[in-house]
């Protein structure tokens, strides 16, 4: 009978070990930054466009953006796996060169898909960046290329990804930079009711990525593992908040700051 409580205690301690955040990277100067989701975009300025990034810089907001690779191995800033939603054409970013992608207009605007270098140049360290690495399982090319490029960037930034191995790769190249894990309540949806997604949503692969922070979907604030990780010292960022009311609720639920779109947040 004594063995059962001991087993329960051991499993609980193992559980805490698996989800506990690692205290690495500087987060204090980033925890109160409002991050404009894919830049400060609206009906006239497309997401992840140079116009949206310039607007965010002018407004003094941090910028969340997405990086992936083009066919010729250059880092480009684009969110989706495919081009149809934003560019109205078939294929993926990896199917085209950076020069070709620059000619694909974003949401009917004059902006094309920018390179990461172009974005870094226009931001120029004026506002903090939250760089999301878009990388498939088993691939490390994007995380390594992005981290190597960021090593020479003279400005404030942190890095995040849904892929724990991408976080690990970036952190190994950028040991002094805060690298975080993105997650949400995956298994409430039928297509993601799989063991891997259960581990991801419950932060049970934290020991792989050793995140400095956790970015979690703000509607899923009720997840027990998120609350427990926060009690263990995790900094948490809410994504994606779309109104002042949602922002207020995010703070009430314990998030340190927000990734926002469709409204202009007030100073905290």
């Amino acid at each position: 009978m004594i063995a059962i409580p001991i087993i329960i205690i051991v499993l609980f301690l193992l559980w805490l070990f698996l989800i506990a955040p690692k205290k690495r990277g500087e987060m204090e100067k980033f925890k109160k930054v409002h991050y404009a989701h894919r830049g400060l975009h609206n009906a006239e300025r497309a997401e992840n466009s140079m116009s949206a990034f310039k607007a965010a810089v002018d407004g003094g907001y941090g910028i969340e953006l997405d990086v992936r690779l083009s066919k010729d191995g250059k880092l480009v800033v684009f969110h989706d796996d495919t081009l149809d939603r934003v560019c109205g054409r078939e294929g993926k970013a990896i199917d085209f060169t950076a020069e070709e992608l620059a000619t694909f207009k974003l949401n009917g605007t004059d902006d094309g898909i920018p390179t990461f270098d172009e974005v870094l140049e226009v931001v120029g360290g004026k506002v903090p960046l939250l760089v999301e690495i878009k990388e498939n399982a088993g691939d490390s090319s994007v995380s390594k290329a992005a981290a190597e490029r960021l090593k020479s960037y003279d400005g404030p930034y942190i890095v995040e990804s849904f892929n724990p191995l991408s976080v690990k790769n970036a952190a190994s190249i950028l040991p002094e930079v805060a690298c975080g894990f993105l997650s949400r309540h995956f298994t409430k949806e039928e297509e993601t009711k799989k063991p891997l997604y259960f581990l991801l949503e419950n932060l049970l692969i934290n020991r792989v990525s050793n995140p400095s922070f956790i970015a979690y979907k703000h509607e899923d604030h009720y997840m027990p593992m998120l609350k427990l990780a926060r009690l263990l010292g995790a900094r948490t960022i809410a994504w994606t908040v779309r109104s002042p009311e949602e922002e207020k609720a995010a703070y009430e639920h314990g998030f340190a700051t927000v990734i926002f779109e469709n409204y202009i947040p007030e100073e905290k």
Side-chain angles (χ1 to χ4, degrees), residues 144-248:
K144 290 182 178 179
E148 289 292 345
R149 175 60 185 89
L150 285 166
K151 281 171 66 176
S152 61
Y153 175 63
D154 188 19
Y157 66 89
I158 54 180
V159 178
E160 66 178 6
S161 181
F162 279 102
N163 185 338
L165 293 178
S166 299
V167 179
K168 182 179 181 180
N169 290 335
S172 67
I173 296 171
L174 303 166
E176 301 304 317
V177 175
C179 298
F181 179 54
L182 273 159
S183 193
R184 62 183 179 88
H185 187 179
F186 289 104
T187 56
K188 67 181 179 183
E189 299 168 3
E190 193 61 38
E191 64 271 21
T192 48
K193 284 182 183 268
K194 300 176 182 178
L196 175 60
Y197 289 105
F198 174 83
L199 295 176
L200 292 172
E201 74 181 10
N202 285 293
L203 311 176
L204 294 172
I205 310 183
N206 272 11
R207 280 294 131 185
V208 174
S209 57
N210 283 325
S212 300
F213 65 92
I214 298 166
Y216 217 90
K217 190 173 183 181
H218 79 93
E219 293 97 334
D220 298 336
H221 60 84
Y222 52 81
M223 292 295 286
M225 291 304 96
L226 175 64
K227 294 181 178 181
L228 184 54
R230 192 179 286 130
L231 287 174
L232 293 172
R235 297 289 189 187
T236 56
I237 299 174
W239 63 269
T240 297
V241 170
R242 295 182 170 88
S243 71
E245 293 76 22
E246 288 186 354
E247 181 180 348
K248 180 181 178 183

Side-chain angles (χ1 to χ4, degrees), residues 89-102:
R89 59 182 304 143
E90 295 181 355
K92 301 180 178 182
I94 194 68
D95 297 330
F96 301 91
T97 66
E99 185 176 359
E100 290 171 325
L101 292 171

